């Protein structure tokens, strides 16, 4: 009897072209479109126009260093090692060579050193995204402020405000640069700057290195998982709507009259949704495997996440059915399919990685079934071990338990209006 | 015997069913008549144990079925007014599904499906998806599902609504056959008085949640035994004439259809002179004058003040 309820659900889906279109064809289409459309951006293959920066230096850094050493040699016992160290931390060369033209920044930024006489011209014609103007004596003043008391010198930055993104990137880089050098100055003042100390390594570069060491998540990988977990949400709404149709057309009455307990019927909704979800994800993953050659290295862990998220979807489907039966309308499943799926998809990162926009929303997203499952799958791509997905499994388990419990508590025991 | 005692159902302030008493003997066909909103469907839902009554009992062999719904459900078949079938499954698949809900053994189910398909005349169409069936075929399958587990009692709620005359005849014959050959007791509700007259020996008439008349066809018709039914036809329709007839103290249950008027009058009334006088006054010609025995429809109209199909 229970098996017949499940079998019936599968037959209904197989014979409904609109459901197949929504649950299988659409996600495959979207995975293809998004992978190709956004692939070059996510995979870092896009030829971005480089940010152009002009550096106008009114003085000469080398000369200013020489002058400083000559002027202060009576007060500071310079040796070769120390001079080498100072040379390697000179502010303008550091900015130009180690910050703006570092290996990582080189791909994004092009730096041109200009004569001071060109400043007015480039300011007027807007040839560069940013102009950095270093005044005469900047290095001398900087060194004085490090070794003696004195105010930290400043330089001028001209940002092209009409290009907001570029301006923001440059501002962030310069803020970081300034922070590092202010720190340096403080160290110098407190006598902590010794000849053994090296120029600080910028944290930015070390961070990039740590990301690069992990398996790269390509757009096809990302959208295979994000679209799959988004479209399983529709399944919950669809199954719940079908359940309501069974009630509305009195099929459910016939099932009850055949002495099937209402909660047995509800359990069949959970089980059939779980199985349908697993089949749906299985098909989507299989297609992606052949299309994009996505490596599902440890399929047991992938199945574990799939099973857990399928349980959550089963729970949601049962809960929506309970609410539909209680309200004697399909409102709950309609609202879920039309509004909640979109909200869950946004929070769960199905459209794009929301953590880059709002870390707070991303945290909420981890408590959506699609968000949690997506996180689990992406973790598996990068690190194929159980410990990485354990918290996700627990989270999905909690969600599934909560939804199923609520559904069983709310389902009208006679099946009609409570 | 299936019996209903003082059955009442309240929905907030509305009394949908109000102290209904009702019984059906094994092998009997009983008609349940009533206009829309009379409380028939609510009564049926309570008899089928699908909704609990606010008060009153449903008794099967003097045992309260509300305490043990299973005792009635296993011997009861219900044909709902709606097409309670899966359109995306074939007739056979539908029967298999509902049969398995009754936990029928596979072999027995297969046999019963073949018998039922024959009974409802769909043995050659069982592989078609139900959504591709005509209205009549769907109605027949709707009945077939209720017959699978060989119920002793069958409730049929308007089983012939919206179908062609051929399918309707087929259904009526099937119902008659079921009753005669298998001795299935049937509670039959319909808007079509002639169906009830054809099938049922006893009739209950419901209105506003209450049974307002019950008995055999003859007993019900005898409610109007002191009256006769007159049908007159005129050469044209006249509102003024009709208005005068309506206001006449001797006439009741007047119904107008184009230039034909029907009404009931007391058996000892000589109405012809009155009609002739009115014809002369309104300058219309009387084409025919017919005296008829009252039908169930007339009784229904007399009791409820409404035609059954309104």
């Amino acid at each position: 009897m229970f098996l017949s309820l499940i079998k019936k659900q599968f037959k209904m889906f197989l014979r409904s072209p609109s459901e197949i279109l929504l649950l299988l064809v659409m996600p495959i289409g979207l995975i293809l479109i998004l992978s190709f459309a956004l692939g070059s951006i996510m995979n870092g293959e896009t030829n971005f126009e480089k940010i152009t920066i002009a550096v106008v230096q009114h003085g000469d850094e080398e000369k200013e260093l020489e002058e400083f050493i000559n002027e202060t040699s009576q007060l500071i016992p310079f040796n070769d090692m120390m001079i080498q160290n100072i040379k390697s931390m000179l502010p303008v060369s550091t900015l130009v060579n180690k910050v703006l033209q570092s290996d990582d920044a080189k791909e994004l930024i092009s730096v041109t050193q200009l004569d001071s006489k060109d400043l007015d011209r480039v300011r007027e014609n807007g040839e560069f995204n940013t102009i950095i103007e270093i005044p005469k004596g900047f290095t001398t003043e900087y060194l004085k402020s490090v070794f003696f008391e004195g105010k930290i010198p400043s330089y001028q930055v001209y940002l092209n405000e009409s290009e907001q993104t570029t301006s923001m990137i440059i501002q962030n880089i310069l803020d970081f640069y300034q922070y590092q050098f202010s720190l340096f100055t403080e160290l110098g003042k407190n006598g902590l700057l010794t000849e053994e100390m090296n120029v600080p390594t910028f944290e930015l570069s070390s961070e990039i290195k740590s990301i690069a060491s992990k398996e790269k998540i390509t757009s096809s990988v990302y959208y295979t998982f994000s679209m799959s977990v988004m479209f399983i949400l529709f399944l919950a709404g669809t199954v719940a709507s079908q359940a309501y149709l069974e009630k509305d057309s009195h099929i459910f009455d016939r099932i009850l009259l055949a002495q099937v307990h209402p909660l047995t019927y509800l359990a069949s909704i959970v089980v059939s949704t779980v199985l349908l979800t697993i089949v749906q994800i299985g098909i989507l993953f299989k297609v992606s495997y052949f299309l994009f050659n996505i490596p599902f290295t440890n399929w047991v862990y992938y199945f574990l996440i799939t099973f857990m998220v399928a349980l959550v979807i089963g729970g949601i489907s049962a809960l929506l059915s309970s609410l539909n039966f209680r309200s004697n309308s399909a409102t709950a499943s309609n609202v879920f399919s039309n509004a909640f799926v979109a909200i869950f998809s946004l929070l769960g990162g199905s459209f794009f990685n929301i953590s880059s926009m709002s870390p707070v929303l991303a945290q909420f997203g981890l408590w959506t079934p699609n968000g949690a499952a997506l996180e689990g799958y992406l973790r598996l791509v990068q690190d194929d071990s159980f410990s990485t997905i354990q918290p996700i499994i627990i989270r999905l388990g909690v969600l599934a338990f909560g939804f199923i419990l609520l559904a069983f508590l709310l389902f009208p025991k006679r099946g009609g209006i409570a | 015997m299936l019996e209903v005692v003082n059955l009442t159902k309240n929905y907030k302030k509305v009394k949908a069913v109000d102290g209904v008493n009702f019984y059906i003997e094994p092998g009997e066909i009983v008609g349940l008549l009533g206009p829309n909103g009379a409380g028939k469907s609510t009564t049926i839902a309570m008899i089928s144990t699908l909704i609990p009554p606010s008060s009153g009992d449903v008794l099967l062999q003097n045992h309260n079925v509300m305490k043990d719904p299973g005792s009635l459900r296993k011997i009861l078949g219900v044909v709902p007014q709606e097409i309670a079938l899966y359109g995306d499954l074939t007739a056979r698949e539908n029967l298999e599904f509902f049969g398995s809900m009754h936990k029928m053994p596979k072999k027995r189910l297969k046999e019963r499906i073949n018998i039922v398909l024959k009974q409802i005349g769909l043995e050659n169409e069982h592989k078609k998806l139900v959504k591709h069936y005509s209205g009549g075929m769907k109605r027949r399958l709707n009945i077939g599902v209720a017959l699978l587990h060989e119920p002793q009692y069958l409730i049929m709620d308007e089983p012939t609504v919206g179908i062609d005359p051929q399918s309707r005849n087929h259904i009526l014959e099937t119902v008659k056959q079921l009753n005669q050959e298998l001795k299935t007791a049937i509670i039959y509700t319909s808007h079509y008085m002639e169906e009830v007259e054809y099938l049922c020996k006893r009739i209950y008439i419901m209105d506003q949640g209450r049974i307002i008349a019950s008995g055999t066809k003859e007993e019900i018709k005898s409610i109007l035994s002191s009256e006769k039914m007159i049908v007159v036809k005129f050469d044209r329709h006249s509102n003024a004439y009709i208005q005068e007839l309506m206001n006449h103290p001797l006439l009741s249950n007047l119904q107008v259809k184009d230039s034909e008027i029907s009404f009931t009058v007391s058996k000892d009334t000589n109405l012809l002179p009155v009609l002739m006088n009115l014809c002369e006054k309104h300058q219309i010609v009387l084409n025919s004058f017919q005296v008829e025995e009252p039908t169930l429809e007339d009784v229904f109209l007399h009791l409820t003040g409404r035609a059954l199909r309104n």
Side-chain angles (χ1 to χ4, degrees):
Chain A
M1 177 266 293
F2 196 77
L3 204 66
S4 297
L5 284 162
I6 312 285
K7 220 166 102 179
K8 171 263 305 175
Q9 200 77 48
F10 271 82
K11 278 185 182 170
M12 304 266 287
F13 266 95
L14 286 175
R15 290 175 190 174
S16 173
S18 58
E19 303 302 344
I20 291 174
L21 186 80
L22 173 72
L23 300 172
L24 290 174
V25 180
M26 265 180 75
I28 290 170
L30 279 171
I31 291 168
L32 279 170
I33 293 167
L34 292 170
S35 297
F36 289 122
L38 304 179
S40 51
I41 296 173
M42 281 193 74
N43 303 347
E45 293 156 5
T46 306
N47 292 323
F48 283 115
E49 263 192 44
K50 281 187 175 180
I51 300 167
T52 52
I53 298 177
V55 178
V56 180
Q57 209 179 158
H58 293 286
D60 183 328
E61 205 171 30
E62 291 280 330
K63 267 187 192 166
E64 284 180 28
L65 173 63
E66 269 176 40
E67 281 169 20
F68 176 76
I69 292 169
N70 291 336
E71 280 174 23
T72 58
S73 56
Q74 304 293 321
L75 302 166
I76 303 167
F78 288 109
N79 59 32
D80 288 348
M81 176 84 164
M82 204 171 170
I83 291 168
Q84 276 309 309
N85 271 345
I86 295 170
K87 272 188 181 174
S88 67
M89 53 168 262
L90 287 174
V92 182
S93 343
T94 303
L95 173 66
V96 174
N97 302 324
K98 290 183 177 160
V99 177
L100 298 176
Q101 287 294 273
S102 67
D103 288 345
D104 296 309
K106 231 185 242 177
E107 290 174 17
L108 290 169
I109 300 168
S110 111
V111 179
T112 311
Q113 301 228 33
L114 294 177
D115 275 351
S116 50
K117 60 179 185 334
D118 295 324
L119 180 64
D120 291 340
R121 179 179 57 81
V122 293
R123 270 182 65 184
E124 269 174 31
N125 65 19
E127 196 179 317
F128 294 92
N129 298 123
T130 303
I131 302 164
I132 299 171
E133 185 187 4
I134 314 283
K136 199 173 177 183
F138 179 83
T139 305
T140 316
E141 274 188 47
Y142 168 74
L143 290 170
K144 277 181 184 167
S145 72
V146 171
F147 291 94
F148 309 103
E149 286 297 315
K151 74 173 185 28
I152 298 167
S154 64
Y155 55 87
Q156 288 283 326
V157 179
Y158 304 97
L159 290 171
N160 189 342
E161 296 289 351
S162 62
E163 291 165 22
Q164 281 186 7
T165 315
T166 311
S167 302
M168 223 163 68
I169 294 169
I170 298 294
Q171 257 174 337
N172 282 338
I173 292 173
L174 294 178
D175 283 349
F176 185 74
Y177 163 76
Q178 252 170 273
Y179 167 76
Q180 289 290 334
F181 269 86
S182 302
L183 183 71
F184 231 76
T185 314
E186 283 306 308
L187 290 171
K189 278 178 190 165
N190 293 302
L192 297 170
L193 190 67
T194 64
E195 54 196 63
E196 288 85 21
M197 272 189 89
N198 291 320
V199 172
T201 316
F202 289 95
E203 279 178 29
L204 187 65
S205 59
S206 68
E207 202 175 296
I208 291 166
K209 268 180 197 163
S210 71
I211 291 169
S213 66
K214 285 188 174 178
E215 185 69 38
K216 206 173 177 184
I217 292 172
T218 60
S219 62
S220 50
V221 169
Y222 189 85
Y223 285 111
T224 291
F225 295 131
S226 69
M227 287 296 114
S228 300
V229 294
M230 180 172 108
F231 275 86
I232 56 171
L233 294 173
F234 285 110
L235 194 62
T238 308
V239 173
S241 295
Q242 278 182 356
Y244 176 69
L245 279 180
E246 288 180 334
K247 180 183 186 292
D248 196 40
S249 62
H250 293 254
I251 289 174
F252 179 66
D253 285 349
R254 283 195 145 154
I255 293 171
L256 289 186
L257 286 170
Q259 301 194 70
V260 175
H261 196 279
L263 294 184
T264 307
Y265 170 80
L266 189 66
S268 82
I269 291 178
V270 177
V271 174
S272 51
T273 313
V274 168
L275 294 175
L276 281 166
T277 308
I278 292 171
V279 170
Q280 189 190 4
I281 290 187
I283 292 171
L284 294 175
F285 282 8
K286 199 84 188 162
V287 171
S288 295
Y289 171 76
F290 284 117
L291 285 176
F292 304 115
N293 206 18
I294 293 171
F296 294 97
T297 44
N298 195 333
W299 69 269
V300 178
Y301 292 159
Y302 280 98
F303 181 78
L304 191 60
I305 294 176
T306 305
F307 177 73
M308 292 309 291
V309 74
L311 261 185
V312 182
I313 300 298
I316 293 175
S317 165
L319 178 61
L320 294 174
S321 302
S322 296
L323 294 172
N324 280 347
F325 274 53
R326 269 193 173 260
S327 64
N328 209 23
S329 73
T331 310
S333 47
N334 288 342
V335 168
F336 180 79
S337 296
N338 295 326
F340 277 82
V341 170
I343 295 167
F344 280 10
S345 302
L346 179 73
L347 291 178
S350 287
F351 301 128
F352 56 88
N353 188 359
I354 197 164
S355 58
S356 58
M357 197 176 91
S358 165
V360 180
L361 287 181
Q363 280 304 311
F364 280 116
L366 287 176
W367 281 98
T368 61
N370 54 313
L374 176 63
E375 175 75 10
Y377 290 132
L378 294 178
R379 282 188 189 187
L380 272 185
V381 171
Q382 294 189 312
D383 184 0
D384 190 5
S385 69
F386 182 72
S387 58
T388 51
I389 57 163
Q390 195 180 15
I392 306 288
I393 298 293
I394 292 168
R395 193 172 298 153
L396 287 170
V398 170
L399 284 172
F401 179 76
F403 285 130
I404 292 171
L405 183 71
L406 258 179
F408 275 76
L409 289 175
L410 289 175
F411 196 72
K413 299 300 170 281
R414 277 181 181 269
I417 301 166
Chain B
M1 183 172 73
L2 182 62
E3 203 178 349
V4 162
V5 184
N6 280 327
L7 210 58
T8 302
K9 184 71 188 176
N10 302 318
Y11 288 115
K12 290 178 186 166
K13 285 179 183 172
V14 181
K15 221 169 209 178
V17 175
D18 185 6
V20 163
N21 289 291
F22 179 100
Y23 76 92
I24 179 166
E25 299 275 10
E28 204 185 6
I29 305 185
V30 170
L32 185 59
L33 293 174
N36 288 335
K40 296 190 305 285
S41 293
T42 311
T43 305
I44 285 173
M46 285 191 286
I47 296 173
S48 345
T49 68
L50 285 170
I51 56 168
S54 304
S55 64
D57 294 315
V58 179
L59 306 171
L60 177 69
Q61 319 291 20
N62 288 323
H63 292 289
N64 193 336
V65 298
M66 287 303 163
K67 287 177 187 158
D68 176 22
S71 62
L72 177 62
R73 287 179 179 183
K74 64 184 175 196
I75 56 162
L76 179 74
V78 177
V79 181
Q81 197 175 332
E82 298 76 13
I83 303 291
L85 302 166
Y86 291 106
D88 282 321
L89 300 186
T90 65
R92 184 173 283 278
E93 285 170 340
N94 266 287
L95 291 168
E96 278 170 355
F97 172 76
F98 288 110
S100 67
M101 291 298 105
H102 282 281
K103 302 177 191 76
M104 291 171 77
K106 270 190 176 175
K107 198 179 162 200
R108 177 79 189 125
L109 178 58
K110 208 173 172 184
E111 285 168 9
R112 282 297 301 155
I113 287 173
N114 291 333
I115 293 169
V116 167
L117 283 171
K118 215 170 209 173
Q119 276 179 324
I120 57 175
L122 292 175
E123 66 268 44
N124 297 324
E125 310 273 359
H126 65 92
K127 285 181 183 168
K128 247 188 186 178
L129 292 182
V130 170
K131 64 181 174 191
H132 297 138
Y133 275 10
S134 69
M137 288 160 85
K138 283 179 188 166
R139 286 267 163 215
R140 280 188 269 160
L141 184 60
N142 208 27
I143 294 169
V145 169
L147 302 178
L148 264 179
H149 62 297
E150 297 178 273
Q152 292 170 30
Y153 291 89
L154 184 66
I155 299 177
M156 305 181 90
D157 191 3
E158 315 247 2
T160 58
V161 166
I163 58 170
D164 58 286
Q166 272 180 322
S167 286
R168 193 173 158 201
N169 282 341
H170 190 284
I171 288 171
L172 292 180
E173 288 315 311
T174 308
V175 173
K176 199 124 202 174
Q177 211 176 346
L178 275 171
N179 176 251
Q180 284 170 355
E181 291 175 10
L182 302 168
K183 303 292 174 210
T184 310
I186 299 166
I187 299 172
Y188 193 94
T189 80
S190 177
H191 268 145
Y192 299 104
M193 194 65 76
E194 58 274 23
E195 287 181 6
V196 175
E197 277 204 83
Y198 175 68
L199 292 171
C200 309
K201 283 194 179 133
R202 284 195 307 115
I203 294 161
Y204 289 88
I205 298 179
M206 270 191 93
D207 193 31
Q208 294 177 340
R210 287 179 294 118
I211 301 281
I212 53 169
S214 65
T216 61
K217 278 185 279 190
E218 292 69 30
E219 283 168 345
I220 297 267
K221 282 180 188 173
S222 71
I223 292 171
L224 291 182
S225 61
S226 58
E227 295 181 324
K228 58 188 173 186
M229 182 82 192
I230 310 281
V231 182
V232 284
K233 285 183 184 170
F234 303 97
D235 65 334
R236 65 184 173 83
H237 181 93
S238 163
N239 283 333
Y241 184 86
I242 290 164
Q243 198 55 50
E244 278 214 44
L245 279 182
M246 282 174 102
N247 294 334
H248 200 284
L250 295 174
L251 275 63
S252 60
N253 303 331
L254 188 128
Q255 282 197 300
V256 183
K257 195 180 166 191
D258 301 326
S259 56
E260 185 182 295
I261 300 170
S262 61
F263 48 84
T264 50
V265 288
S266 171
K267 267 191 174 163
D268 48 10
T269 308
N270 183 8
L271 196 73
L272 204 53
V274 178
L275 285 175
M276 297 309 285
N277 284 339
L278 283 173
C279 282
E280 207 175 317
K281 185 179 168 187
H282 292 280
Q283 298 286 297
I284 59 172
V285 179
L286 182 65
N287 282 347
S288 75
F289 181 92
Q290 206 176 331
V291 182
E292 289 179 354
E293 279 299 306
T295 61
L296 277 178
E297 184 89 42
D298 302 322
V299 179
F300 191 86
L301 186 69
H302 173 77
L303 292 171
T304 66
R306 281 178 280 177
L308 195 55
R309 276 160 229 172
N310 282 349

